[in-house]
């Protein structure tokens, strides 16, 4: 029989992602539905260390479903990386009578949660909230769909101006170590090519793709670049291409932080709602040190250690599709 959970703390940590509010709302309402008190912890792990938390009620989370960002605020806490910092966090955890912790964030936040749980034998559950979609143990992370839609909308607009002036555009999207946003927006935005950290594409291969497109009377050219790709920044790549094809009129557009903001899509709201409820139900069933995920449209619980250690691969078939459609 699982230990009874009477009071849960919830926090958002690391990079913010649209849909985090929807996840907090779901954790709060599911907790109250099951007769569990819930505390909102502000500014990620810093809030746990400083005791910056308060009880949340059904109406505390009214009107946040549609809002981007996180009303609990997020932070990157240096202190939580130290044993002393985590000990202070545990003191506050106990002083406030908390029995379990729900952490909404990315792999770094889950590493911290895993260590905290092991050191103090505290039940923790992770909810994947990151636009990067780079966590194993779930098909999609909260915020990824919204970020892809934002990027795709921008690419559509850039394409209008690219075709009017017969320009080649390099559009840089977020993704330091993972090319999920790049691949998705390349297919959804009809890009001629994409350059992602996971694939060793060369400038020569890119140039030959561009020349083939020109020979086929391609009307507009948009190349998607993931910010962490091995060929350098989108400006570096644009410069190298210009050296080889000087007559091309080339422009660069870096989408940047606008990809993190905005009202979450329906898909992200539903995903966040499902995961938030599943986190509370998982804790009630005695789950701990796991990350909630959705795999093949079913809720799943993956050990946090596994979720953060296994590298999630881009779908080879989506790569193939992007290539077929880029001619
Ligand atoms: P994103 O994917 O958006 O960057 P993230 O959760 O991976 O989100 P990080 O900055 O890597 O973001 O981690 C968030 C916080 O988690 C850190 O500021 C730190 O407080 C905690 N954390 C990360 N790694 C560790 C660790 N090894 N030990 C303890 N705490 C950690």
């Amino acid at each position: 029989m699982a230990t009874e959970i009477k009071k849960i703390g919830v926090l958002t940590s690391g990079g913010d992602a649209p849909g985090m509010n929807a996840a907090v709302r779901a954790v709060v309402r599911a907790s109250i539905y099951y007769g569990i008190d819930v505390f909102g912890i502000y500014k990620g792990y810093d809030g746990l260390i400083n005791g910056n938390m308060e009880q949340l009620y059904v109406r505390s989370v009214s009107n946040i479903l549609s809002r981007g960002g996180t009303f609990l605020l997020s932070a990157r806490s240096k202190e939580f990386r130290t044993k002393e910092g985590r000990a202070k966090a545990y003191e506050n955890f106990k002083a406030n009578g908390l029995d379990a912790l729900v952490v909404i964030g990315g792999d770094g936040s889950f590493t911290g949660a895993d260590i905290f749980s092991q050191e103090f034998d505290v039940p923790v559950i992770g909810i994947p909230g990151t636009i990067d979609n780079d966590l194993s143990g779930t098909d999609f992370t909260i915020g990824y769909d919204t970020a892809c839609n934002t990027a795709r909308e921008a690419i559509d607009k850039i394409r209008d101006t690219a075709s009017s002036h017969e320009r080649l555009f390099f559009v840089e999207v977020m993704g330091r170590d993972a090319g999920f946003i790049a691949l998705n927006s390349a297919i959804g935005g009809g890009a001629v090519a994409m350059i992602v950290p996971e694939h060793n594409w060369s400038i020569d291969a890119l140039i030959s793709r561009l020349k083939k497109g020109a020979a086929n009377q391609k009307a507009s050219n948009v190349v998607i670049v993931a910010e962490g790709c091995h060929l350098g920044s989108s400006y570096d790549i644009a410069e190298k291409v210009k050296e080889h094809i000087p007559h091309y009129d080339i422009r660069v557009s870096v989408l940047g932080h606008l990809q993190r903001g905005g009202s979450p899509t329906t898909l992200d709201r539903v995903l966040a709602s499902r995961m938030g409820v599943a986190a509370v139900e998982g804790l009630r069933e005695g789950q701990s040190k796991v990350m909630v995920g959705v795999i093949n449209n079913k809720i799943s619980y993956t050990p946090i250690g596994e979720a953060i250690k296994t590298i999630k691969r881009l779908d080879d078939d989506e790569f193939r599709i992007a290539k077929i459609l880029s001619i």
Side-chain angles (χ1 to χ4, degrees), residues 13-16 45 75-82 86 105-113 115 129-132 134 176 260:
S13 167
D16 63 312
Y45 291 122
R76 301 195 195 268
S77 168
K78 277 198 186 133
E79 211 179 340
F80 197 73
R81 289 178 181 271
T82 66
R86 292 192 297 274
D107 58 346
S109 303
F110 294 163
T111 306
I115 295 171
T130 166
I131 62 167
D132 293 335
D134 57 350
R176 262 173 321 195
R260 278 198 190 279

Side-chain angles (χ1 to χ4, degrees), residues 36-185:
I36 299 169
D37 286 344
V38 57
F39 271 51
I41 300 162
Y42 292 92
K43 299 192 186 176
Y45 291 122
D46 276 345
L48 200 53
I49 292 169
N50 302 322
N52 186 4
M53 60 182 87
E54 64 178 347
Q55 187 161 359
L56 298 175
Y57 303 93
V58 172
R59 296 278 87 79
S60 313
V61 288
S62 295
N63 296 323
I64 63 164
L65 183 61
S66 59
R67 275 168 45 198
T70 160
F71 87 103
L72 286 181
L73 311 179
S74 189
R76 301 195 195 268
S77 168
K78 277 198 186 133
E79 211 179 340
F80 197 73
R81 289 178 181 271
T82 66
K83 218 172 160 64
E84 298 72 34
R86 292 192 297 274
K88 268 203 235 167
Y90 181 66
E91 273 169 35
N92 276 312
F93 182 89
K94 277 308 221 200
N96 283 280
L98 299 179
D99 301 310
L101 190 62
V102 175
V103 173
I104 305 168
D107 58 346
S109 303
F110 294 163
T111 306
D114 206 28
I115 295 171
F116 185 65
S117 174
Q118 277 170 33
E119 279 176 348
F120 302 104
D121 196 22
V122 164
V124 297
I125 284 210
I127 298 180
T130 166
I131 62 167
D132 293 335
N133 199 34
D134 57 350
L135 284 160
S136 290
T138 189
D139 290 341
F140 302 107
T141 57
I142 298 166
Y144 169 64
D145 185 60
T146 307
C148 286
N149 274 287
T150 303
R152 195 262 316 135
E153 210 175 302
I155 293 161
D156 286 350
K157 289 176 181 164
I158 285 168
R159 178 180 297 286
D160 288 345
T161 168
S163 19
S164 304
H165 290 271
E166 296 180 306
R167 278 178 179 146
L168 162 62
F169 260 90
F170 286 89
V171 180
E172 187 174 303
V173 298
M174 277 188 165
R176 262 173 321 195
D177 309 301
F180 289 94
I181 297 178
L183 175 57
N184 191 291
S185 42

Side-chain angles (χ1 to χ4, degrees), residues 257-274:
H257 279 81
L258 69 88
Q259 293 160 94
R260 278 198 190 279
S263 177
T265 58
T266 308
L267 222 73
D268 271 332
R269 295 182 199 190
V270 173
L271 185 69
S273 302
R274 290 177 73 188

